[in-house]
Structures are given as C-alpha cells and as structure tokens.
Amino acid sequence: MVEGGGVTSEEGVVSMLTGKMQEALTGQLIAEMYSAYLYLSMSSYFESLNLPGFASWMRVQRLEELVHALKFFDYIVEAGGRVLLGPIDGPPTEWDGALGAFEAALAHEKKVTGLINDLVEVARAEGDSATEEFLKWYIDEQVEEEESAEEVVSKIKAAGDDLGALDAELAQRS
Ligand code: FEO
C-alpha cells in the first residue's frame, strides 16, 4: 500500500486503486463475462425452440455484456491496476419456455444492478471518487438493461402462444 491507498506492484507501478477496489472491479468484470455466457446459453436454448429471432437477440445481448466486461478491464489497466482473472461459473442451459428465459434474464439484470450498487458502496468506502464517477455509466446502463428485458417479457405475455411475429421483430436487433 502507498499513500492514498493505492497498490504498488512488483514492477513498482503505483495503482490509483486500492487492493479492495481492484478486487471488486475484477469481480464485476468476471460477472459481466458470466452475463455474456448466460445469454449465449439462452441463445442456444432459443435455437432449440426454433426461435431464431430470440436467439439472435440474445447473441446481440452477449456482445453488450462483453463490452461491459472490457470497460472494466480497460479501467483497471488505465488506473495502473492488474487484472487477475478467475473462473466463470457455468450458466443454466434450460428454462421454462421463452417467457421463463426472459423472466430469468430480467431477474439476472436486477441482480447485476445490485452488484453495481454494491461496487459504488465499495468505491465510497475506499474514498475512490474516480471509480465512483466511472460507475455512473453502469448505473445508467442498468436502467436500460432492465427496461429492455422487461419490454420483451411484456411482449411475450401479450403474444401468448404465437411467437412468430415477435421472433421476427427481435431478429431486427443489431
Ligand atoms: Fe452487463 Fe446486462 O448488464
């Protein structure tokens, strides 16, 4: 540890992040990688249901999650930290139909919102205003993430058993 709470690496590089902050940010990076893995698993599930538009929507969502993960990676590196990656949990592979899968996606996004809020708490506790500022992007992004999953849940409920038109609509997401 050095003055200001940063960490000095073996190479003598001084990080702006405390050890606790770096660990928490890396944990969230891994959580975003898990999200990508989860949505790719859901994409495979939708392929098995013969709903290629839903599957495509999930593939696009997987890319968004990779962007979220890489933003954490870049931030840690730019702050002079070191990204120490760990294992990513295996995602579920089965859900209760299209509605079950999207309800699970919405529940997952709510959980991620909680994780981001927890990160903000860590940043405050560590007196790290730069990281708190960085996390504002994720707070806004989580509002959109929850909204987009919620929107599809509502549309599935409205469509009932005939998901053909909605499948074609979801295929448009790029
Ligand atoms: Fe990375 Fe879907 O939140």
Side-chain angles (χ1 to χ4, degrees):
M1 295 286 277
V2 295
E3 203 179 335
V7 174
T8 308
S9 73
E10 284 170 18
E11 296 80 26
V13 177
V14 178
S15 171
M16 293 183 329
L17 303 170
T18 63
K20 192 170 180 190
M21 194 74 253
Q22 177 174 298
E23 199 177 309
L25 289 166
T26 305
Q28 189 58 32
L29 189 172
I30 294 167
E32 301 290 346
M33 293 299 290
Y34 173 79
S35 296
Y37 213 27
L38 173 67
Y39 293 134
L40 189 61
S41 187
M42 286 184 177
S43 181
S44 165
Y45 176 68
F46 282 120
E47 293 287 2
S48 79
L49 297 184
N50 202 20
L51 290 168
F54 281 76
S56 170
W57 193 99
M58 283 295 174
R59 280 177 71 105
V60 175
Q61 185 59 32
R62 159 197 153 261
L63 282 177
E64 284 222 1
E65 300 302 345
L66 291 177
V67 170
H68 297 171
L70 285 173
K71 277 178 84 80
F72 279 109
F73 185 100
D74 290 342
Y75 179 74
I76 294 164
V77 171
E78 279 166 22
R82 170 91 198 279
V83 175
L84 300 169
L85 292 173
I88 302 166
D89 289 341
T93 53
E94 300 290 339
W95 290 271
D96 190 9
L99 182 58
F102 263 91
E103 281 178 337
L106 176 57
H108 180 69
E109 288 303 332
K110 287 183 174 174
K111 191 175 148 195
V112 172
T113 300
L115 292 176
I116 297 292
N117 289 337
D118 290 348
L119 265 185
V120 172
E121 290 304 316
V122 174
R124 282 187 190 144
E126 298 295 291
D128 187 342
S129 54
T131 297
E132 202 179 328
E133 187 66 28
F134 165 73
L135 290 170
K136 283 185 179 158
W137 183 88
Y138 285 90
I139 290 172
D140 293 341
E141 181 71 4
Q142 279 312 118
V143 174
E144 284 181 28
E145 292 283 87
E146 286 191 33
E147 272 176 5
S148 67
E150 207 152 9
E151 192 185 329
V152 180
V153 166
S154 299
K155 285 181 176 177
I156 294 170
K157 284 180 177 168
D161 289 336
D162 184 9
L163 294 173
L166 183 54
D167 192 61
E169 183 188 327
L170 295 185
Q172 302 302 312
R173 185 183 187 193
S174 58

mmCIF file of all heavy atoms in Angstrom, residues 32 39 61 65 68 109 112 142 145, ligand 1:
data_model
loop_
_atom_site.group_PDB
_atom_site.id
_atom_site.type_symbol
_atom_site.label_atom_id
_atom_site.label_comp_id
_atom_site.label_asym_id
_atom_site.label_seq_id
_atom_site.Cartn_x
_atom_site.Cartn_y
_atom_site.Cartn_z
ATOM 1 N N GLU A 32 -19.656 -9.803 -15.543
ATOM 2 C CA GLU A 32 -20.119 -9.399 -16.877
ATOM 3 C C GLU A 32 -19.795 -10.497 -17.900
ATOM 4 O O GLU A 32 -20.578 -10.744 -18.824
ATOM 5 C CB GLU A 32 -19.475 -8.081 -17.306
ATOM 6 C CG GLU A 32 -19.749 -6.888 -16.388
ATOM 7 C CD GLU A 32 -21.178 -6.386 -16.420
ATOM 8 O OE1 GLU A 32 -21.937 -6.766 -17.331
ATOM 9 O OE2 GLU A 32 -21.541 -5.608 -15.515
ATOM 10 N N TYR A 39 -26.201 -15.360 -21.598
ATOM 11 C CA TYR A 39 -27.036 -15.007 -22.753
ATOM 12 C C TYR A 39 -26.683 -15.847 -23.978
ATOM 13 O O TYR A 39 -27.560 -16.126 -24.806
ATOM 14 C CB TYR A 39 -26.944 -13.499 -23.030
ATOM 15 C CG TYR A 39 -27.571 -12.700 -21.900
ATOM 16 C CD1 TYR A 39 -26.952 -11.581 -21.346
ATOM 17 C CD2 TYR A 39 -28.792 -13.084 -21.360
ATOM 18 C CE1 TYR A 39 -27.522 -10.875 -20.291
ATOM 19 C CE2 TYR A 39 -29.371 -12.400 -20.305
ATOM 20 C CZ TYR A 39 -28.730 -11.295 -19.774
ATOM 21 O OH TYR A 39 -29.306 -10.613 -18.725
ATOM 22 N N GLN A 61 -27.139 -9.398 -27.201
ATOM 23 C CA GLN A 61 -27.017 -9.073 -25.776
ATOM 24 C C GLN A 61 -25.679 -9.566 -25.226
ATOM 25 O O GLN A 61 -25.036 -8.898 -24.421
ATOM 26 C CB GLN A 61 -28.186 -9.690 -24.998
ATOM 27 C CG GLN A 61 -28.229 -9.310 -23.543
ATOM 28 C CD GLN A 61 -28.331 -7.802 -23.308
ATOM 29 O OE1 GLN A 61 -28.931 -7.096 -24.112
ATOM 30 N NE2 GLN A 61 -27.729 -7.310 -22.248
ATOM 31 N N GLU A 65 -22.651 -7.477 -23.218
ATOM 32 C CA GLU A 65 -22.020 -7.872 -21.955
ATOM 33 C C GLU A 65 -20.494 -7.899 -22.074
ATOM 34 O O GLU A 65 -19.785 -7.540 -21.131
ATOM 35 C CB GLU A 65 -22.551 -9.232 -21.485
ATOM 36 C CG GLU A 65 -24.047 -9.275 -21.246
ATOM 37 C CD GLU A 65 -24.525 -8.260 -20.222
ATOM 38 O OE1 GLU A 65 -23.709 -7.696 -19.484
ATOM 39 O OE2 GLU A 65 -25.748 -8.024 -20.168
ATOM 40 N N HIS A 68 -19.381 -4.467 -21.674
ATOM 41 C CA HIS A 68 -19.392 -4.103 -20.238
ATOM 42 C C HIS A 68 -18.140 -4.643 -19.547
ATOM 43 O O HIS A 68 -17.514 -3.956 -18.730
ATOM 44 C CB HIS A 68 -20.625 -4.690 -19.528
ATOM 45 C CG HIS A 68 -21.928 -4.164 -20.044
ATOM 46 N ND1 HIS A 68 -23.147 -4.683 -19.667
ATOM 47 C CD2 HIS A 68 -22.202 -3.156 -20.920
ATOM 48 C CE1 HIS A 68 -24.116 -4.019 -20.274
ATOM 49 N NE2 HIS A 68 -23.569 -3.093 -21.046
ATOM 50 N N GLU A 109 -30.652 -9.268 -14.607
ATOM 51 C CA GLU A 109 -30.289 -7.855 -14.723
ATOM 52 C C GLU A 109 -30.527 -7.101 -13.417
ATOM 53 O O GLU A 109 -29.756 -6.209 -13.055
ATOM 54 C CB GLU A 109 -31.026 -7.194 -15.882
ATOM 55 C CG GLU A 109 -30.524 -7.634 -17.258
ATOM 56 C CD GLU A 109 -29.026 -7.396 -17.462
ATOM 57 O OE1 GLU A 109 -28.462 -6.469 -16.851
ATOM 58 O OE2 GLU A 109 -28.408 -8.174 -18.209
ATOM 59 N N VAL A 112 -27.659 -7.832 -11.296
ATOM 60 C CA VAL A 112 -26.465 -7.079 -11.728
ATOM 61 C C VAL A 112 -26.566 -5.629 -11.248
ATOM 62 O O VAL A 112 -25.571 -5.046 -10.798
ATOM 63 C CB VAL A 112 -26.283 -7.153 -13.258
ATOM 64 C CG1 VAL A 112 -25.166 -6.228 -13.716
ATOM 65 C CG2 VAL A 112 -25.968 -8.589 -13.683
ATOM 66 N N GLN A 142 -27.662 0.030 -16.527
ATOM 67 C CA GLN A 142 -28.520 -0.974 -15.895
ATOM 68 C C GLN A 142 -29.997 -0.603 -15.987
ATOM 69 O O GLN A 142 -30.848 -1.495 -16.062
ATOM 70 C CB GLN A 142 -28.105 -1.216 -14.440
ATOM 71 C CG GLN A 142 -26.925 -2.158 -14.298
ATOM 72 C CD GLN A 142 -27.063 -3.432 -15.109
ATOM 73 O OE1 GLN A 142 -26.260 -3.693 -15.990
ATOM 74 N NE2 GLN A 142 -28.094 -4.238 -14.855
ATOM 75 N N GLU A 145 -30.798 -1.846 -19.323
ATOM 76 C CA GLU A 145 -30.756 -3.310 -19.371
ATOM 77 C C GLU A 145 -32.036 -3.914 -18.781
ATOM 78 O O GLU A 145 -32.608 -4.842 -19.356
ATOM 79 C CB GLU A 145 -29.535 -3.833 -18.592
ATOM 80 C CG GLU A 145 -28.215 -3.506 -19.233
ATOM 81 C CD GLU A 145 -27.903 -4.414 -20.417
ATOM 82 O OE1 GLU A 145 -28.342 -4.083 -21.526
ATOM 83 O OE2 GLU A 145 -27.257 -5.432 -20.220
HETATM 84 FE FE1 FEO B 1 -23.815 -6.003 -18.065
HETATM 85 FE FE2 FEO B 1 -26.675 -6.794 -18.698
HETATM 86 O O1 FEO B 1 -25.521 -5.863 -17.606
#
